[in-house]
Amino acid sequence: MRRKWILVGLCLSSVTGLAFSAQAGASGGGNQASASAASTAGQFLAGDQAVESALDYNAAGSAEAFPFKAASSGTASSISVYVDSHNTASTMIVGLYSNAGGKPGSLLAAGSRTPAVGTWDAVAIPSTQVASGSTYWIAVLGRHGTLYFRDRAGGTCSSVSSAQTALYSLASSWTSGSQWNTCPISAYVAGSSGSTTPPPAPTNTTLPSIAGTTTQGQAVSTSNGTWSGSPTAYGYQWQDCSSTGASCTNISGAASSSYTLTVNDVGHTLRAIVTATNAGGSVSATSIQSAVVLAPASPPPPAAPANTAPPVISGAPTEGQILQTSTGAWSGSPTGYSYQWKDCNSTGGSCANISGATSSAYTLAASDVGATMMVTVTASNAGGSASGDSSATAAVTALSTGGGGTQPTGVTLQQIDGGQGYYGQWSNSLPASTSFYPLAVFDQTLGYDGANWDPSQLAAYKADGINTFVNLYNGYNSAMMTALKADGMHDIDSPLANGYEGSTLGGYVWFDEADGNNDCGSVPSAAVLGTTVSCAPTSDGRTPSSVISEVTADLHHVDPTRAVYGNYSKPVALNSGLTPAQASAYVNGVDIASYDYYVINDGWQTDHSLWLQYDAVRNTRQESGYDRPIWVFIEAGEVFPSNQWSGVTPTPAMSVAEAWNAIIGGARGIEWFDHDFGGSSGGYASSSDDLIDSNPVFGSLQAAVTAFNQRATLLAPILNDPFANSYVTNNGQMNVMAKYDQTSNNYYVFAAPRSNSSQNITFTTAGGYSGPVQVQGENRTVAATNGVFTDNFANQTAVHIYIIPHS
């Protein structure tokens, strides 16, 4: 968890309609804010009713808990949290924990909602008894984005983060991570004292829907949707969105149930946010997008689409796998489609929308286990829109633990970022097979000069163990693409490169290091997208990251069969000069993200420790929300000219160990940057392709990289297996990753030092295995007793991989 405190003017904004006063902090310290007499909104029981002065955040999947003493005894029925306007999380989960020795204990109650921003958000929880004077913990967790809230940067009590960083829901028992000197959070528990029982906040059961002709000058309206909890009032906010329903912004003054379309709406779609309120609080729900708004025209509009064959879901209904839907068949020539995935019961009934699941593909989460899945596809054209529902899938099953066994106590399985089948959501993308791990080179030419190319270079790269090319620098022709495909190689490249052969591409790339220079270069898109878009900030308020998302959406619209790739640099990898939200927006603007960060060669880098690559990839994965692959550039040779070089010679062993650190950090692909600009300064020579250059100074490097690529390819099924969280601990300075092989029922422990000194490291594994532990690729074993074994790491280039049977 990264934290950045931003102090603002203190605003003691009391919550109206609540009785008693708040005393924050486990020891009774903190801010006190009194409220007006009790009303039908319910009784205040514990927490902080003030909007505190410090802005705080947790990345998606990271939970944090804050202690409070109950001000009175009663029945808790809701938790209200002040969500700051910076928030990007699409779902907020809150919970009430018991106190266990000054730390959160057991989960007593929890609830979730789509948060409104810049306001208090009430979340209904199951009725829970609290006792006056007792300490409880309020926990907050965001999904699909960073959750921003308010607290005080100091106080007499401390908050506690969860040791788990990829949560989809709050754990039944809290596992403590870091402790922070922040207290209290702007959150409070409400309910009833005595016999008064306030109603729960409204719950949306059917989304609002937009009706009317989406043409400039016409009026459209939104329904309220349907709600439980008997709302007593509704509020409205209309939004303009992109043609795909993304990048939505509020329309100033559009706050009633109807809205008249203006010239500013032409080319956009609309969404309506409906906020339902009762005595228990307020909850918002967002409609499915409208059809694209058209300018007035004298031809009559066509008939609205009609569904003639339902959508069909494909993919295995297993946690971590990706489901894909077809659009179904329609009359009326639809011009656009939108999607909404739903969790249903075992018979396909009682379906509920999944927040944020609005693309044609959906990665199954732990929260879906036991449910069947359904998707609603909405087709639109100038005449209107209509929806069609798929059939329900079979019930979603949990991750296999192998051989019908169970994981040791405390061990949890976590899918790789995006899930094993991530690439399978695009029919012309990279292989979705678990035996594929991307090992790429960047900006190579294969000798292409606009007409001819050199097949021997392709053969040489294949012999090195390379399986993917990213951005063939001089373009390509049909013969090159045919040869790549025949050799089982892959290419991610420009959609408009010379000799465009779309049927052989595995994805699209159109910018490099947009985070560093804020200039993606102009997209030469007249033939495909119809416009030329620069990544520089625009007069209408678009940012570089929003334009990246815009062009990604346009590429998906033109060709939904391929992923979009983008490469970034140190601002994203290290949060250098960017806020976490800005870095997140860059990473999530593409389907596959990479970064270049050369810890050995970089002359601006003061620390050249190989383990920094582990830290950078973990940071970038957190920015992504752990829902898409992150690839990492690795320096093969001297990648800086002599006047920018760090002076540290990157030996072959250092380059390879840096790549293992990236993999241990969770990288889903390695890109070798094998352009040598240093001449003889780093012991190599100037070259455009170190890995296939015949100069003997590159011989040792080529041998080391080839051995690494062959080993990574052999281990690809393991690298694509789930992480085994909490399986292994150690007593030294180490980067460690544990994987669970669902086929062999073995654990794999990958370990790289965070020290350049010799270390004897003792590893302790869950399950208590006793026996020989194989050291993969080294033709030796070490002995384990009751799950404990010891091995030596000579320096920072010593990386070992251990295979431990499931006991």
Side-chain angles (χ1 to χ4, degrees), residues 595 597 599 610-617 632-634 658 662:
Y595 67 82
Y597 168 42
V599 297
L610 304 181
W611 56 82
L612 296 176
Q613 199 64 267
Y614 168 94
D615 298 338
V617 71
V632 178
F633 278 51
I634 300 295
E658 185 183 342

Side-chain angles (χ1 to χ4, degrees), residues 266-282:
V266 173
H268 297 268
T269 59
L270 299 175
R271 289 188 189 272
I273 299 174
V274 177
T275 301
T277 302
N278 67 8
S282 297

Side-chain angles (χ1 to χ4, degrees), residues 109-262:
S112 64
R113 63 166 287 173
T114 300
V117 299
T119 187
W120 290 93
D121 287 86
V123 181
I125 60 173
S127 295
T128 304
Q129 297 298 312
V130 296
S132 178
S134 295
T135 298
Y136 298 89
W137 294 76
I138 294 176
V140 292
L141 168 67
R143 290 185 60 187
H144 307 297
T146 300
L147 180 66
Y148 279 83
F149 49 90
R150 294 287 186 87
D151 55 29
R152 189 183 307 156
T156 57
C157 60
S158 300
S159 64
V160 179
S161 64
S162 172
Q164 298 160 295
T165 58
L167 293 169
Y168 282 88
S169 59
L170 289 170
S172 58
S173 295
W174 188 270
T175 303
S176 294
S178 300
Q179 183 169 305
W180 308 94
N181 188 30
T182 57
C183 181
I185 186 176
S186 293
Y188 61 87
V189 179
S192 62
S193 296
S195 60
T196 303
T197 302
T203 300
N204 181 256
T205 55
T206 302
L207 287 176
S209 59
I210 297 174
T213 302
T214 51
T215 302
Q216 177 188 342
Q218 298 296 310
V220 291
S221 62
T222 181
S223 69
N224 291 330
T226 56
W227 302 78
S228 63
S230 302
T232 57
Y234 294 95
Y236 308 92
Q237 177 62 60
W238 291 85
Q239 295 185 321
D240 265 332
C241 308
S242 70
S243 59
T244 62
S247 304
C248 300
T249 57
N250 290 345
I251 302 172
S252 178
S256 66
S257 60
S258 62
Y259 172 66
T260 300
L261 298 166
T262 72

Side-chain angles (χ1 to χ4, degrees), residues 545-566:
S545 58
S546 73
V547 173
I548 288 173
S549 297
E550 181 182 335
V551 177
T552 294
D554 286 342
L555 286 169
H556 283 164
H557 178 73
V558 173
D559 181 3
T561 71
R562 290 177 176 82
V564 177
Y565 163 100

